[in-house]
Amino acid sequence: MMSLRTWQRFGLAGLLGALLLGGAAWAHFVWLPRQQAQIDEWGSQVRRTRHELQAAVQVQASSQPEVLSTPDQAWQRLWQTLPGADQRVTLQSQVLAQARQQGLTVNSVQYLGSKQTWAAQEGAVLWRQRMVMPVEGGYGAVRIWLAQLLKEPALSIDSLDLQRSDVMSDQVKARVSVSLWWRRQERARP
């Protein structure tokens, strides 16, 4: 053991140096190995999770009956899921009814319809009906309504503009533009 005289010769700087040297030795031999073990454990968990996700994706991919390899196949499959023109009024009514169910106020609706230029088969065209609506209500109700709309495969949300006049209020004014899509048969012109 070192005597008191030896410690006095070291002085404050020597004592501080000895403490720093001891701390560095502790960090090197005790703390760093613990940290490395924790990093190794996390790496192992990441590899295990990645493996499980890859296995789940492979199982899901093998359970899908048909893999669409070309854009034409994907388009044909989408075309078959689109509703017919006879369901257009029902689709429009659903959009407005879902807004009312959430307690939203829709003051007016502007309808803009257009025939798209591509066709899936002879005599059939894709029809797009845009609905532009000013909506007023609670922010949460608007979010729920938009989430309900996104569940409809024949509907897309084109634009959304939210305004809140009072930052402390939940009430918002929104301008929502959605597109409804359906198939329509065109009559051949003589």
Side-chain angles (χ1 to χ4, degrees):
M1 197 85 182
M2 297 179 83
S3 68
L4 181 60
R5 188 153 175 84
T6 308
W7 283 112
Q8 286 176 345
R9 260 193 255 164
F10 277 158
L12 187 58
L15 182 60
L16 186 59
L19 287 174
L20 288 175
L21 187 59
W26 175 82
H28 181 72
F29 292 110
V30 177
W31 185 73
L32 283 177
R34 288 181 189 166
Q35 295 301 315
Q36 188 61 45
Q38 183 67 41
I39 290 171
D40 292 342
E41 175 64 26
W42 289 341
S44 175
Q45 289 175 2
V46 166
R47 286 187 296 277
R48 184 173 43 252
T49 303
R50 182 181 303 130
H51 177 71
E52 290 169 358
L53 288 173
Q54 287 173 342
V57 166
Q58 289 174 352
V59 167
Q60 184 180 13
S62 66
S63 69
Q64 292 179 348
E66 178 184 352
V67 176
L68 303 175
S69 58
T70 66
D72 287 336
Q73 288 175 334
W75 172 249
Q76 289 300 324
R77 189 170 187 182
L78 174 66
W79 181 260
Q80 296 305 319
T81 63
L82 290 175
D86 57 332
Q87 297 174 347
R88 69 181 180 272
V89 175
T90 305
L91 288 171
Q92 294 166 353
S93 299
Q94 283 178 351
V95 169
L96 299 173
Q98 288 174 343
R100 282 191 302 273
Q101 287 174 354
Q102 295 305 319
L104 300 173
T105 304
V106 179
N107 294 327
S108 64
V109 180
Q110 181 182 7
Y111 295 96
L112 306 166
S114 64
K115 177 174 74 171
Q116 303 302 306
T117 57
W118 58 84
Q121 53 190 343
E122 190 64 36
V125 296
L126 180 65
W127 189 263
R128 176 186 184 193
Q129 177 76 53
R130 290 189 69 197
M131 295 174 67
V132 181
M133 302 161 279
V135 178
E136 293 182 28
Y139 177 73
V142 172
R143 285 187 55 152
I144 292 170
W145 176 57
L146 293 174
Q148 287 175 340
L149 293 181
L150 287 175
K151 291 178 184 176
E152 174 59 50
L155 184 141
S156 62
I157 298 175
D158 300 328
S159 68
L160 171 64
D161 179 36
L162 287 173
Q163 295 178 353
R164 186 180 302 195
S165 58
D166 181 15
V167 293
M168 300 304 288
S169 173
D170 182 43
Q171 296 299 306
V172 295
K173 291 182 180 181
R175 180 177 165 88
V176 181
S177 175
V178 299
S179 289
L180 301 172
W181 303 88
W182 61 79
R183 298 176 287 167
R184 182 171 163 183
Q185 288 298 122
E186 291 283 312
R187 293 191 178 104
R189 295 184 181 165

